[in-house]
């Protein structure tokens, strides 16, 4: 019956796509909702008590998505709680199906509401939790090893699905996958790589490397904001678009351009010195070579830390960073930064 309602919903949506041919009784949506409730035995909390089969509950998630596509304003308030319950289902396959269906429902809402809906309704149903503190910063809930790996895996794939469905959530969800992959044990790594691979493909990129290149500025900034040592990135080269055989030097060279400005903003001198050492360079050399990035971040995000960076340079270094060539590169980087996803300029 759930599958038949799904087919009915698809048919009604096809019919109502042409208003001139749409002749539907006024009580149609009410009757369809009652059919879903009766067939699934949905209780007051929204759980489908009558569906013992996991495949039936997965079909219910897909059916609810189809109904929301038919009329979001009518069906989401009535069936949305059931979809959220299915995200906590005992079955891995049901959780995955419900997560992907919920992500598709989110895409039907205005983008301005995506973060609020995700934080208020989705995150409580995941084992990986975080919340927004300000436009460019999130707080990640500390956690130890997760006992149930299947719960962890389904949460990772659900985060990837939401990142793929929402342009607003995309950089945040990608960062959460990278962050989680770095701080958890090796048993989670392959699943995290697969989640990022799915997300990169769904977002139109032909490889993880291309996807990371697009989001690298956001990743570096969020990483420094999270207060995680950048050396943790050495554990996850594949999540950064590198090969599994990449060395620590490779990772440091690959990520330095997005880490250095963020370290300056946060006045992380020790991390800057360590990064220079890992790149087999000096602090002044990496600052001078990346000065256009530092200045662009400081200007775009109105950060009063330019003096801190200048104090780290010698007289020769200060002269180099004030050249015409550097000024032009600063301007070009500013144009790039204002469109970086996840980094909202002041």
């Amino acid at each position: 019956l759930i599958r038949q309602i799904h087919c009915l919903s698809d048919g009604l949506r096809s019919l109502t796509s042409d208003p001139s041919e749409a002749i539907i009784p006024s009580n149609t949506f009410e009757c369809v909702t009652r059919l879903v409730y009766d067939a699934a035995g949905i209780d007051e909390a929204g759980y489908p008590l009558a569906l013992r089969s996991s495949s039936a509950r997965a079909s219910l998630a897909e059916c609810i998505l189809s109904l929301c596509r038919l009329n979001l304003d009518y069906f989401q308030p009535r069936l949305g709680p059931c979809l959220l319950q299915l995200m906590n289902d005992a079955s891995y396959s049901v959780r995955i199906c419900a997560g992907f269906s919920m992500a598709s429902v989110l895409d039907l809402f205005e983008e301005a509401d995506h973060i609020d809906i995700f934080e208020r309704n989705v995150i409580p149903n995941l084992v990986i939790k975080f919340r927004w503190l300000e436009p460019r910063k999130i707080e990640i809930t500390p956690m130890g090893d997760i006992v149930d790996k299947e719960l962890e895996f389904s949460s990772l794939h659900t985060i990837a699905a939401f990142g793929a469905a929402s342009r607003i959530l995309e950089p945040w969800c990608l960062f959460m996958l990278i962050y989680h992959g770095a701080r958890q044990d090796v048993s989670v790594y392959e699943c995290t790589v697969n989640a990022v691979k799915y997300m990169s493909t769904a977002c139109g990129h032909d490889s993880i490397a291309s996807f990371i290149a697009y989001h690298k500025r956001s990743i570096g900034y969020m990483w420094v904001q999270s207060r995680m040592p950048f050396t943790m990135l050495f554990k996850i080269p594949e999540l950064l678009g590198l090969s599994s055989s990449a060395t620590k030097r490779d990772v440091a060279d690959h990520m330095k351009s997005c880490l250095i400005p963020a370290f300056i903003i946060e006045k992380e001198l020790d991390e800057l010195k360590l990064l220079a050492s890992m790149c087999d360079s000096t602090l002044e050399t990496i600052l001078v070579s990346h000065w256009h990035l530092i200045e662009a971040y400081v200007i775009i995000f109105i950060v009063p830390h330019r003096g801190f960076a200048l104090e780290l340079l010698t007289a020769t270094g200060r002269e180099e960073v004030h050249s015409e060539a550097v000024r032009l590169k600063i301007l070009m980087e500013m144009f790039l930064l204002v469109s970086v996803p996840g980094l909202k300029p002041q």
Side-chain angles (χ1 to χ4, degrees), residues 20-41:
S20 66
E21 298 181 6
I23 306 173
I24 299 176
S26 59
N27 66 339
T28 298
F29 292 168
E30 179 185 351
C31 292
V32 169
T33 303
R34 191 181 306 121
L35 273 175
V36 174
Y37 265 77
D38 291 346

Side-chain angles (χ1 to χ4, degrees), residues 75-116:
F75 289 107
Q76 190 279 327
R78 292 162 176 79
L79 297 173
C82 179
L83 194 53
L84 292 175
Q85 287 284 3
L86 292 172
M87 288 181 65
N88 266 320
D89 198 89
S91 166
Y92 175 81
S93 61
V94 174
R95 291 196 304 273
I96 290 291
C97 193
F100 276 65
S101 295
M102 185 64 191
S104 296
V105 170
L106 179 79
D107 191 37
L108 303 174
F109 285 84
E110 295 290 334
E111 284 189 343
D113 298 325
H114 284 192
I115 287 179
D116 182 58

Side-chain angles (χ1 to χ4, degrees), residues 244-285:
S244 57
S245 60
T247 64
K248 293 180 180 180
R249 168 70 184 275
D250 293 334
V251 174
D253 282 333
H254 181 62
M255 297 298 292
K256 64 184 178 184
S257 64
C258 62
L259 292 172
I260 290 172
F263 284 149
I264 291 294
I265 289 172
E266 296 300 318
K267 293 187 174 182
E268 294 283 358
L269 181 56
D270 290 340
E271 291 285 270
L272 279 168
K273 289 179 177 178
L274 181 57
L275 178 59
S277 173
M278 295 303 304
C279 294
D280 195 22
S281 183
T282 65
L283 178 58
E284 175 153 325
T285 299

Side-chain angles (χ1 to χ4, degrees), residues 115 119 130-140 172 225-226:
I115 287 179
E119 186 172 21
F130 59 102
R131 66 189 181 95
W132 274 263
L133 298 179
E134 55 183 74
R136 298 191 304 272
K137 188 174 182 180
I138 57 175
E139 179 183 67
I140 299 159
W172 302 99
Q225 288 285 323
S226 74

Side-chain angles (χ1 to χ4, degrees), residues 146-208:
I146 301 172
V147 176
D148 191 329
K149 290 300 179 186
E150 281 200 349
L151 279 174
E152 189 171 7
F153 294 165
S154 59
S155 288
L156 288 169
H157 284 293
T158 296
I159 290 172
F162 275 87
S166 168
R167 182 181 62 88
I168 301 300
L169 292 174
E170 184 179 323
W172 302 99
C173 290
L174 174 60
F175 172 71
M176 276 306 305
L177 294 175
I178 292 172
Y179 182 95
H180 192 76
R183 69 177 181 169
Q184 297 302 111
D185 61 50
V186 68
S187 64
V188 184
Y189 189 63
E190 184 178 356
C191 180
T192 310
V193 171
N194 288 335
V196 172
K197 192 176 296 182
Y198 161 78
M199 191 175 164
S200 64
T201 302
C203 291
H205 293 264
D206 57 7
S207 66
I208 292 180

